[in-house]
């Protein structure tokens, strides 16, 4: 009896988990790392935020304080695994040192890039529960340490060099390897291995951004992030903590705060953000044996409501048969009602005669 109860409970649990699965917004905010997964074909997503930043440079006796806007546009094109991104950071701040003070406004960063998901460990679907063993369903699974892997290539455009203490060429490349692990239903670990402004002399930097996210419930998510970016001027770990709240399946708001460890420069950063997804044109992709299955011509016509010539001929034939049957039925009815010359009209019963006539 207990075994039967366990089997029933396992089946019900799996059914509920499958039924509750919904495609929700996949936002890179509020952290600085990029996830391995694309937004999806024919999906367009906007992510942005307002922030305050203060930087202090003790050795140079300089400081800068101001506000800015982070913007990111993401578009899924070609395939489910591919997306194009445009990242921009617009800043207005006040910079001062012992020699001069001035206002700076403009693009601090502007990058156009593309990302492709090369390997997805979840493409064949989640592992089905073992209805005969509670232990098998709750054992530690080493497979979760196999990450999804993506690659990113981008081009930086240096619109305003006043934000940097070094000369910067107008165009420079950026490359990134991305891994993403899912530990159970609650934890996600994303790592970005970056080489940025590769051909740009002193501006060249490389390092790691590592983000750990925890889902508290269907709405709230918290995260912690470590940035280890190094170049000839800056070599300082930065920690970021924040949270995101899911307003709708396609809408999210977030808040975060960042602080570095050392004081070259001494930096503090805080902001709030918003993400929105446009996915009305997106169509779910069918997966069979871990591969995408393309729709046949008949399936596309069925979804769009367009009938093939063969289907139209069948409909016309069916309608013609129905019409002929209706005419024959009417003809038979008229023949039965009209008396022939040899037939006498039906005689009325005595109780049907009207004495007044």
């Amino acid at each position: 009896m207990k075994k039967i109860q366990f089997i029933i409970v396992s089946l019900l649990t799996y059914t509920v988990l499958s039924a509750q699965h919904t495609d929700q917004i996949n936002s890179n905010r509020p952290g600085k790392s990029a996830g391995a997964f694309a937004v999806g074909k024919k999906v367009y997503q906007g992510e942005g935020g307002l922030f305050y930043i203060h930087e202090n440079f003790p050795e140079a006796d300089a400081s800068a304080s101001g506000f800015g806007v982070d913007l990111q546009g993401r578009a899924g094109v070609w395939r489910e695994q591919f997306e194009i991104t445009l990242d921009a950071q617009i800043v207005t701040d006040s910079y001062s040192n012992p020699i001069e003070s001035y206002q700076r406004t403009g693009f601090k960063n502007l990058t156009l890039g593309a990302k492709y998901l090369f390997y997805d460990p979840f493409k064949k679907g989640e592992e089905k529960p073992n209805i005969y063993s509670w232990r098998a369903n709750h054992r530690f699974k080493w497979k979760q340490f196999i990450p999804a892997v993506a690659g990113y290539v981008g081009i930086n455009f240096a619109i305003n060099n006043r934000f940097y203490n070094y000369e910067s060429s107008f165009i420079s490349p950026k490359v990134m390897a991305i891994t993403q692990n899912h530990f159970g239903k609650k934890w996600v670990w994303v790592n970005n291995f970056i080489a940025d402004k590769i051909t740009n002399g002193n501006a060249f930097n490389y390092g790691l951004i590592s983000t750990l996210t925890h889902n508290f419930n269907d709405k709230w998510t918290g995260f912690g992030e470590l940035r280890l970016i190094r170049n000839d001027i800056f070599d300082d770990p930065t920690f970021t903590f924040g949270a995101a709240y899911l307003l709708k399946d396609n809408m999210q708001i977030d808040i975060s705060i960042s602080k570095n460890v050392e004081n070259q420069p001494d930096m503090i950063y805080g902001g709030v953000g918003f993400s929105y997804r446009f996915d009305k044109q997106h169509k779910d992709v069918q997966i069979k044996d871990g591969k995408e299955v393309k729709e046949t011509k008949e399936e596309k016509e069925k979804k769009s409501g367009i009938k093939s010539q063969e289907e139209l001929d069948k409909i016309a034939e069916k309608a013609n048969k129905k019409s002929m049957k209706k005419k024959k039925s009417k003809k038979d009815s008229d023949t039965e009602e009209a008396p022939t010359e040899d037939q006498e009209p039906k005689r009325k019963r005595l109780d049907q005669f009207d004495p007044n006539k």
Side-chain angles (χ1 to χ4, degrees):
M1 182 66 182
K2 288 183 178 180
K3 186 175 181 180
I4 296 173
Q5 288 177 344
F6 174 75
I7 293 173
I8 294 173
V9 170
S10 298
L11 287 171
L12 289 175
T13 303
Y14 179 68
T15 303
V16 171
L17 288 174
S18 298
Q20 288 178 344
H21 179 267
T22 57
D23 292 330
Q24 297 175 335
I25 187 170
N26 168 25
S27 177
N28 289 328
R29 291 190 59 86
K32 295 297 183 182
S33 65
F37 294 92
V39 290
K41 189 177 180 180
K42 293 185 179 181
V43 176
Y44 307 95
Q45 191 163 304
E47 304 174 14
L50 301 172
F51 65 85
Y52 168 79
I53 185 169
H54 175 78
E55 296 175 299
N56 188 35
F57 304 85
E59 289 187 359
D61 194 19
S63 64
S65 297
F67 296 88
V69 179
D70 280 319
L71 299 172
Q72 183 178 67
R74 304 170 63 186
V77 295
W78 181 41
R79 302 185 68 178
E80 283 290 310
Q81 300 93 332
F82 185 79
E83 77 173 30
I84 296 174
T85 61
L86 178 64
D87 294 275
Q89 187 179 75
I90 304 171
V91 176
T92 177
D93 66 6
S94 298
Y95 177 83
S96 63
N97 59 37
I99 300 175
E100 58 181 345
S101 297
Y102 52 84
Q103 195 81 14
R104 303 181 298 187
T105 300
F107 284 94
K108 192 172 183 179
N109 291 307
L110 182 63
T111 307
L112 177 65
K115 179 176 69 177
Y116 187 82
L117 178 67
F118 290 102
Y119 176 71
D120 178 8
F122 312 104
K123 196 167 186 178
K124 292 186 178 181
E126 294 185 4
E127 188 177 334
K128 293 183 179 181
N130 187 330
I131 62 175
Y132 299 104
S133 173
W134 182 93
R135 184 179 179 184
N137 291 323
H138 293 81
R139 74 179 188 276
F140 186 81
K141 298 177 182 178
W142 291 99
K143 186 180 178 181
Q144 62 189 344
F145 284 96
I146 302 174
V149 179
Y152 170 93
V153 177
I155 300 175
N156 299 299
F157 300 93
I159 305 297
N160 192 339
N161 286 333
R162 299 188 72 189
F163 289 103
Y164 303 100
N165 297 323
Y166 45 79
E167 290 296 325
S168 179
S169 58
F170 179 69
I171 294 178
S172 60
K174 176 180 180 179
V175 295
M176 181 164 55
I178 305 168
T179 64
Q180 181 168 331
N181 294 83
H182 289 246
F183 301 112
K185 301 289 184 181
K186 297 291 185 179
W187 295 92
V188 179
W189 186 30
V190 174
N191 289 286
N192 292 178
F193 303 91
I194 304 169
D196 195 9
K197 300 179 181 177
I198 297 171
T199 61
N200 210 349
N202 292 335
F204 168 64
N205 62 82
Y206 60 93
L208 165 71
I209 302 178
S210 184
T211 307
L212 185 63
T213 303
H214 178 68
N215 297 322
F216 296 106
N217 51 46
D218 293 339
K219 296 291 185 180
W220 282 102
T221 301
F223 85 102
E225 183 174 271
L226 169 64
R227 294 202 302 275
L228 293 170
I229 304 299
R230 183 176 184 179
N231 60 22
D232 291 344
I233 299 172
F234 188 83
D235 182 11
D236 189 8
T238 301
F239 291 93
T240 303
F241 299 94
Y245 181 77
L246 190 68
L247 295 173
K248 294 182 178 180
D249 283 344
N250 63 339
M251 194 182 304
Q252 171 191 295
I253 56 174
D254 60 76
I255 186 171
S256 64
I257 186 168
S258 302
K259 182 72 177 71
N260 64 333
V261 175
E262 299 179 5
N263 60 357
Q264 290 299 327
D266 181 14
M267 184 272 291
I268 188 168
Y269 171 106
V272 294
F274 176 79
S275 302
Y276 188 84
R277 181 181 67 181
F278 304 86
D279 59 353
K280 290 184 178 180
Q281 295 182 344
H282 176 68
K283 295 180 180 179
D284 291 332
V285 176
Q286 298 179 3
I287 304 295
K288 185 177 181 180
D289 297 329
K291 297 181 180 180
E292 293 184 15
V293 179
K294 293 185 178 181
E295 288 183 334
T296 62
K297 185 178 180 181
E298 290 76 12
E299 289 174 335
K300 288 181 179 179
E301 289 176 349
K302 189 175 181 181
K303 284 187 177 181
S304 62
I306 300 173
K307 304 289 185 183
S308 64
Q309 187 60 45
E310 186 179 349
E311 289 176 321
L312 291 172
D313 291 341
K314 286 182 179 180
I315 293 172
E317 186 181 352
K318 189 176 180 181
N320 189 35
K321 286 182 178 180
K322 188 175 181 181
S323 177
M324 293 292 290
K325 188 176 181 181
K326 190 175 181 181
K327 287 180 181 179
K328 185 178 180 182
S329 177
K330 186 177 180 182
K331 186 176 179 180
D332 292 343
S333 177
D334 293 342
T335 304
E336 289 178 3
E337 291 178 3
T340 61
E341 294 179 357
D342 298 334
Q343 288 179 332
E344 295 183 1
K346 292 182 179 180
R347 297 181 180 181
K348 295 183 179 180
R349 299 196 308 267
L350 292 174
D351 59 352
Q352 289 180 322
F353 283 99
D354 187 351
N356 295 323
K357 289 184 178 180

